[in-house]
């Protein structure tokens, strides 16, 4: 898996940095996009991912620097798919699932409908229903009516996802759960209802021991796949071969956490303990903590403190104020580089094994596979 940071700035795109958009590229080439700020489709042309491979889009919250690029990106995906009516009749139209806070559906449909934008693929919008605790005091206006009676011709029915609570009152929004992935959301503090997404890869079968297979008289072929898939088989001489006889230790899954804007991510700490990668904002440096908190944002010190609290292995910082120049650019006497933010975070995690890095635009982070579990005899 790879994380492609398409945009790492806050508020508005500049000639030096785009705004929030992060692509998670799976080993099979499929792509999940997290947030889609203005100009994302331009940034996506600069990296080795295919927009046609985007199958899921996750929106953390409805501020413009996280959603203004979405309608345009959907149209670009449609135009680049190159599907004909015959293709759609024979194979069916591809489907893109879009997850985000209540109100996202209204924004998407209004944008596509008013601009008369047809799509050759189909999409579903799954809205996360915020809890009352997510609406900051004095910001009740964000509870505006978001109901929408119309839909787009390419739209399929979506779902409304409500939170569930554990015995301690911790909240969870369950988004996906299949044979490979479990994706959940938790809420975090910001000026509007905002979520962090937790992507868990499920444990995978170990490697087949070909020497053992050949010794059992099982030659390469479809039977290998059957054993790899967890099914037993019977050999020609009547012996039963079970997967545990020929498979190595299982490969643990990886956990990636991608947060939206936040001044405090502790409400989802129960979901992310020991995660492999934490993507956390650091909008302002430590000296501007009051300014960061005023607008619902974090500093490197706050991000590092959360990473330590949950035992994250890697902390990747993003969502920088445009006052901080990318590390690859020269700074003037009146400018600071994001290097300052990285140094502050590194200082805050000193004495731990947490890897820290600022994710500048177009930075690619490779998420290595976990070490296999080894049973000691």
């Amino acid at each position: 898996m790879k994380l492609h940071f398409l945009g790492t700035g806050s508020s508005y795109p500049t000639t030096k940095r785009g705004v929030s958009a992060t692509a998670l590229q799976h080993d099979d080439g499929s792509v999940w996009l997290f947030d889609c700020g203005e100009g994302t489709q331009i940034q996506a042309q600069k990296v080795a991912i295919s927009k046609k491979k985007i199958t899921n889009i996750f929106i953390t919250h409805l501020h413009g620097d996280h959603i203004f690029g979405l309608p345009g990106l959907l149209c670009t995906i449609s135009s680049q798919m190159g599907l004909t009516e015959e293709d759609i009749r024979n194979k069916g139209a591809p489907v893109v699932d879009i997850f985000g806070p209540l109100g996202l559906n209204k924004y998407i449909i209004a944008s596509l409908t008013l601009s008369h934008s047809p799509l050759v693929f189909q999409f579903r919008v799954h809205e996360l229903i915020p809890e009352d605790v997510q609406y900051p005091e004095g910001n009740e206006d964000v509870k505006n009516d978001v109901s929408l009676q119309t839909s787009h011709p390419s739209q399929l029915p979506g779902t409304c996802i409500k939170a569930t609570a554990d015995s301690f009152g911790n909240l969870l929004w369950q988004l996906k759960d299949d044979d490979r992935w479990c994706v959940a959301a938790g809420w975090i503090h910001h000026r509007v209802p905002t979520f962090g997404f937790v992507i868990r890869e499920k444990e995978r079968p170990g490697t087949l021991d070909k020497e053992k297979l050949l010794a059992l008289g099982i030659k390469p072929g479809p039977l290998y796949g059957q054993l790899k898939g967890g099914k037993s088989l019977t050999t020609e001489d009547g012996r039963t071969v079970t997967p545990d006889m020929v498979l190595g230790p299982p490969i643990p899954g990886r956990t990636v956490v991608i947060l939206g804007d936040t001044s405090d991510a502790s409400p989802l700490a129960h979901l992310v303990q020991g995660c492999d990668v934490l993507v956390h904002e650091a909008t302002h440096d430590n000296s501007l903590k009051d300014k960061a908190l005023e607008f619902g944002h974090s500093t490197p010190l706050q991000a590092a403190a959360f990473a330590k609290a949950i035992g994250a292995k890697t902390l990747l910082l993003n969502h920088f104020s445009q006052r901080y120049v990318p590390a690859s650019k020269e700074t003037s006497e009146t400018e600071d580089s994001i290097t300052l933010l990285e140094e502050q975070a590194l200082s805050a995690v000193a004495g731990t094994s947490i890897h820290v890095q600022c994710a500048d635009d177009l930075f690619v982070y490779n998420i290595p596979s976990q070490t296999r579990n080894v049973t000691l005899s």
Side-chain angles (χ1 to χ4, degrees):
M1 288 194 297
K2 295 179 180 179
L3 281 171
H4 296 262
F5 289 86
L6 307 182
T8 58
S10 65
S11 299
Y12 53 87
T14 70
T15 56
K16 296 180 179 179
R17 181 187 289 122
V19 285
S20 295
T22 304
L24 177 62
Q25 184 179 34
H26 296 292
D27 297 335
D28 64 1
S30 63
V31 176
W32 293 0
L33 181 66
F34 294 82
D35 284 332
C36 190
E38 183 180 358
T40 294
Q41 58 181 314
I42 297 174
Q43 295 291 92
Q45 295 176 36
K46 302 175 183 178
V47 298
I49 61 172
S50 171
K51 293 185 286 298
K52 294 185 291 184
K53 293 292 185 68
I54 296 175
T55 58
N56 291 273
I57 299 173
F58 301 85
I59 302 298
T60 60
H61 64 294
L62 301 183
H63 277 157
D65 57 337
H66 295 256
I67 64 169
F68 281 169
L70 184 54
L73 178 70
L74 294 175
C75 294
T76 299
I77 293 173
S78 179
S79 66
Q80 293 188 354
M81 280 186 169
L83 295 177
T84 64
E85 292 184 3
E86 183 177 355
D87 292 332
I88 296 173
R89 282 196 304 270
N90 294 337
K91 300 179 181 179
V95 178
V96 175
D97 285 293
I98 307 172
F99 299 84
L102 183 65
L104 179 60
N105 185 61
K106 184 175 184 179
Y107 171 73
I108 293 172
I109 302 308
S111 300
L112 296 178
T113 302
L114 292 174
S115 61
H116 298 278
S117 300
L119 302 176
V120 299
F121 63 90
Q122 295 179 309
F123 66 94
R124 291 182 290 247
V125 181
H126 309 280
E127 294 187 303
L128 285 64
I129 310 302
E131 296 284 300
D132 287 342
V133 69
Q134 293 180 255
Y135 294 96
E137 185 178 352
N139 282 270
E140 290 79 6
D141 60 310
V142 300
K143 290 187 180 182
N144 290 335
D145 178 22
V146 292
S147 61
L148 186 68
Q149 302 301 318
T150 60
S151 63
H152 189 271
S154 296
Q155 187 174 17
L156 298 173
T159 55
C160 290
I161 304 173
K162 295 183 178 180
T164 58
D166 64 18
S167 58
F168 299 100
N170 297 314
L171 297 173
L172 159 73
W173 286 257
Q174 188 66 53
L175 310 186
K176 294 174 68 72
D177 191 1
D178 56 31
D179 59 351
R180 185 71 190 276
W181 303 101
C182 180
V183 183
W187 77 278
I188 52 182
H189 288 278
H190 191 45
R191 291 178 291 138
V192 296
T194 303
F195 296 89
F197 296 108
V198 185
I199 305 97
R200 293 188 184 279
E201 181 185 35
K202 295 187 176 179
E203 183 177 85
R204 291 168 289 162
T207 304
L208 285 169
D209 188 323
K210 294 183 179 179
E211 290 185 3
K212 288 184 178 180
L213 286 162
L214 292 173
L216 291 166
I218 305 172
K219 297 179 180 179
L223 295 180
Y224 279 22
Q226 184 175 322
L227 289 164
K228 186 81 171 178
K231 296 180 181 179
S232 301
L233 58 85
T234 302
T235 62
E236 293 180 358
D237 57 5
R239 288 178 297 172
T240 298
V241 179
T242 58
D244 60 286
M245 295 170 61
V246 293
L247 284 175
I251 304 171
R254 294 159 284 188
T255 300
V256 180
V257 180
I258 300 177
L259 303 184
D261 296 1
T262 185
S263 57
D264 177 10
S266 62
L268 59 54
H270 65 289
L271 295 174
V272 297
Q273 295 295 321
C275 65
D276 296 282
V277 179
L278 169 66
V279 179
H280 194 300
E281 70 129 289
T283 305
H284 296 290
D285 71 76
N286 293 341
S287 70
L288 297 175
K289 179 181 178 181
D290 290 343
K291 181 179 179 66
L293 292 176
E294 179 184 358
F295 292 97
H297 294 300
S298 294
T299 65
L301 178 60
Q302 290 172 275
F306 183 68
K308 289 194 292 184
I310 65 171
K313 297 179 179 66
T314 293
L315 170 62
L316 302 178
L317 301 175
N318 71 345
H319 198 269
F320 312 117
S321 167
Q322 301 293 10
R323 71 170 63 219
Y324 303 103
V325 177
S328 59
K329 307 292 183 182
E330 292 186 3
T331 59
S332 67
E333 294 182 357
T334 60
E335 294 178 319
D336 286 316
S337 166
I338 62 168
T339 303
L340 169 65
L341 306 176
E342 187 169 289
E343 290 172 349
Q344 291 179 347
L346 284 168
S347 176
V349 301
T352 74
S353 60
I354 300 174
H355 170 70
V356 174
Q357 191 164 357
C358 280
D360 220 337
D361 279 21
L362 310 185
F363 168 66
V364 180
Y365 181 77
N366 183 54
I367 306 169
S369 294
Q370 291 274 37
T371 303
R372 291 176 174 82
N373 290 324
V374 178
T375 302
L376 299 177
S377 57

